[in-house]
Amino acid sequence: MMVKQHMLFTLYSICGIVLKDILAISGAQGQFPIVQNMTVTEGGIANLTCRVEHNDNTSLQWSNPAQQTLFFGDKKALRDNRIELVRATSQELTISISEVTLADEGMYTCSLFTMPVKTAKAFLTVLGVPKKPEINGLTKPLLEGDQITLTCVTSGSKPAADVRWFKNEKEIKGAKEVNASGKTFTVKSSLQLLVNRHDDGVAYTCRVDHVSLTATHEETTQVLEVHYAPYVEIKHSIPAPLEGQYLKLECVPHGNPSPDPVLWTKDGGELPDLDRVIVEGRELTFMSLNKTDNGTYRCEATNHLGTSHAEYKLVVKDAPTTSSPSTASPAPTLPDNTGPLDSKDLNSAVTGNRDPNALPGPPDHALIGGIVAVVVFATLCLIIVLGRYLARHKGTYLTNEAKGADDAPDADTAIINADGNHAHAEEKKEYFI
Ligand SMILES: *[C@@H]1O[C@H](CO)[C@@H](O)[C@H](O)[C@H]1NC(C)=O
Ligand SMILES: *[C@@H]1O[C@H](CO)[C@@H](O)[C@H](O)[C@H]1NC(C)=O
Ligand SMILES: *[C@@H]1O[C@H](CO)[C@@H](O)[C@H](O)[C@H]1NC(C)=O
Ligand SMILES: *[C@@H]1O[C@H](CO)[C@@H](O)[C@H](O)[C@H]1NC(C)=O
Ligand SMILES: *[C@@H]1O[C@H](CO)[C@@H](O)[C@H](O)[C@H]1NC(C)=O
Ligand SMILES: *[C@@H]1O[C@H](CO)[C@@H](O)[C@H](O)[C@H]1NC(C)=O
């Protein structure tokens, strides 16, 4: 019996504890405000929501970081046009602050006026939007060898923005510096450059990324303009010029500002009379080479930073009677420009005088000769066939073309006659064409 009573007592105790817990949740102890921290970009709208799960019509209040009451229930307390009531029920008090500024940042308090008063605190974080970046330190135009420091500055970000440099889309590392000014940050990134001719036309972009710029970014681009002394290369249309051939030389000057026009000279003097060579701007053309054209041709280009030249040594070889391999000796000379010349330029200047740059020439004479030979041969064959035909049908059809066979007693003699008379065959060709 004693054991049974003890068990019953224990059962009551457990039930009691459980009941007490259930009451605590639904009763006065569950009556507390719930709020959430918020992050808003400056200029945006912040909604401050305070909820009470179980409320017996006790009043709710929102107050700002300076402890000023904003709303007490549905009653506006602070005269600020940016602050409006969104919703006021016994279970919720939501207000909105529009055109949020950095000064609005801070701890906001929701109070539930039970006895004692219960409060909940929500921190409003305001993000500062970085200004469009500015690039400084660039002068235009730059000269080769100039040393410059480009700086990119963006202010107004909070937290500090990320600033990156790109040289023609490819990221390069800059030196970053962050300064706080008030609540926001000024971020600066510097880039030291030693300018050369390859920087001419290169775009430097400064890009700013920030949490307040969702799915986008701010950027500014500057394009470098570099002036440099010219260097020159001469391109030629054929590698080994022969007498009677067509040859075109092209002078290609590189420089900024562009060195135009160019000056052609031969062996340190004037070019020969214009019926030997045709000069058209940068191009020098020989319609038909002659050995008297031998010599060193020089092209000179000048801009305000300097003068440079290239030379081409023309050696006209005999036209081939037998097909003997001939060699040309174009003489690449290094530019005597005043600016520094790196190895890349040197390479292009030297290779510029070789075949890869060869210009297209007129059609080969050997090819034309071949075609003529074929036509002549075909003509001869036709004459032979016609001769044989006419030999069998004497006097029936007498044509001009059959003359070779006309006075031949038979077909074989006709072949010999036709073959031996080359000039005659040439004439025939014209009839057929
Ligand atoms: C704030 O509340 C208003 C009104 O209920 C709503 O239109 C707006 O989308 C809310 N803004 C945010 C950021 O929650
Ligand atoms: C709250 O107040 C409203 C009207 O003022 C009343 O209808 C409602 O019964 C009250 N609720 C509680 C839990 O006191
Ligand atoms: C809200 O912000 C405050 C201050 O930044 C912080 O101490 C607190 O832990 C945050 N609360 C929540 C729920 O994130
Ligand atoms: C940051 O502060 C340092 C020292 O006060 C100053 O020298 C520098 O110019 C400032 N930089 C910027 C980007 O304001
Ligand atoms: C080359 O020039 C000389 C003298 O002007 C001339 O006699 C000769 O016929 C020319 N040769 C050719 C292949 O044109
Ligand atoms: C031109 O050069 C060729 C090849 O070296 C030489 O045979 C010829 O005599 C030269 N003619 C003149 C006029 O210098």
Side-chain angles (χ1 to χ4, degrees), residues 15-281:
C15 287
I17 291 160
V18 172
L19 265 172
K20 218 174 115 194
D21 283 353
I22 290 165
L23 281 172
I25 290 164
S26 61
Q29 272 193 349
Q31 203 175 339
F32 51 85
I34 302 166
V35 295
Q36 274 185 326
N37 284 352
M38 275 166 304
T39 300
V40 180
T41 300
E42 62 178 327
I45 299 173
N47 285 350
L48 304 177
T49 298
C50 180
R51 278 181 222 282
V52 183
E53 260 185 81
H54 307 280
N55 196 1
D56 52 3
N57 284 355
T58 306
S59 296
L60 282 167
Q61 169 192 288
W62 268 115
S63 54
N64 68 11
Q67 308 298 334
Q68 296 162 318
T69 301
L70 302 176
F71 266 88
F72 182 81
D74 58 2
K75 299 207 171 44
K76 188 167 180 171
L78 190 73
R79 285 181 70 162
D80 185 337
N81 292 335
R82 300 180 304 134
I83 303 173
E84 284 169 14
L85 182 67
V86 175
R87 205 171 298 115
T89 66
S90 70
Q91 265 147 42
E92 181 187 332
L93 177 61
T94 299
I95 62 169
S96 73
I97 308 172
S98 51
E99 290 161 49
V100 168
T101 68
L102 292 165
D104 291 323
E105 182 168 272
M107 197 72 88
Y108 287 74
T109 309
C110 175
S111 306
L112 178 66
F113 284 90
T114 48
M115 194 64 197
V117 175
K118 290 187 185 122
T119 61
K121 290 179 183 300
F123 196 87
L124 175 65
T125 304
V126 180
L127 301 176
V129 183
K131 297 219 166 58
K132 190 173 170 69
E134 253 179 52
I135 295 177
N136 295 309
L138 186 62
T139 51
K140 282 187 181 183
L142 294 160
L143 293 182
E144 196 165 35
D146 277 356
Q147 194 154 8
I148 57 165
T149 303
L150 292 184
T151 61
C152 174
V153 180
T154 175
S155 61
S157 60
K158 179 180 162 302
D162 187 28
V163 174
R164 293 192 286 164
W165 280 104
F166 293 85
K167 178 184 178 180
N168 281 347
E169 322 278 299
K170 188 173 171 287
E171 183 162 3
I172 50 172
K173 208 168 153 48
K176 197 162 125 183
E177 197 183 325
V178 180
N179 279 9
S181 52
K183 284 194 159 203
T184 62
F185 297 89
T186 298
V187 185
K188 180 165 106 177
S189 184
S190 317
L191 215 54
Q192 293 220 332
L193 302 176
L194 178 60
V195 176
N196 67 37
R197 62 189 54 184
H198 303 298
D199 288 316
D200 189 38
V202 170
Y204 281 88
T205 299
C206 173
R207 169 176 165 159
V208 174
D209 288 284
H210 193 256
V211 280
S212 67
L213 305 168
T214 43
T216 178
H217 60 263
E218 289 273 14
E219 65 176 41
T220 300
T221 300
Q222 289 279 3
V223 177
L224 265 52
E225 187 189 343
V226 184
H227 279 184
Y228 55 95
Y231 69 95
V232 184
E233 54 180 323
I234 295 175
K235 294 180 177 182
H236 53 276
S237 60
I238 45 171
L242 301 176
E243 198 158 41
Q245 274 184 330
Y246 166 95
L247 173 69
K248 181 153 94 180
L249 299 180
E250 191 190 344
C251 177
V252 185
H254 305 269
N256 189 17
S258 182
D260 233 356
V262 299
L263 177 69
W264 280 104
T265 51
K266 181 191 180 185
D267 297 326
E270 299 242 320
L271 286 175
D273 46 336
L274 288 175
D275 51 326
R276 291 290 330 132
V277 289
I278 301 162
V279 179
E280 258 173 8

Side-chain angles (χ1 to χ4, degrees), residues 331-392:
T333 51
L334 295 179
D336 62 355
N337 57 356
T338 49
L341 181 79
D342 63 30
S343 64
K344 204 180 161 195
D345 295 329
L346 211 133
N347 271 343
S348 74
V350 171
T351 54
N353 281 326
R354 296 215 185 104
D355 286 345
N357 284 326
L359 301 167
D364 203 337
H365 287 195
L367 189 67
I368 296 167
I371 291 166
V372 170
V374 168
V375 170
V376 169
F377 182 69
T379 311
L380 286 176
C381 290
L382 218 91
I383 289 163
I384 291 158
V385 170
L386 265 171
R388 276 173 180 267
Y389 180 80
L390 286 171
R392 275 183 223 128

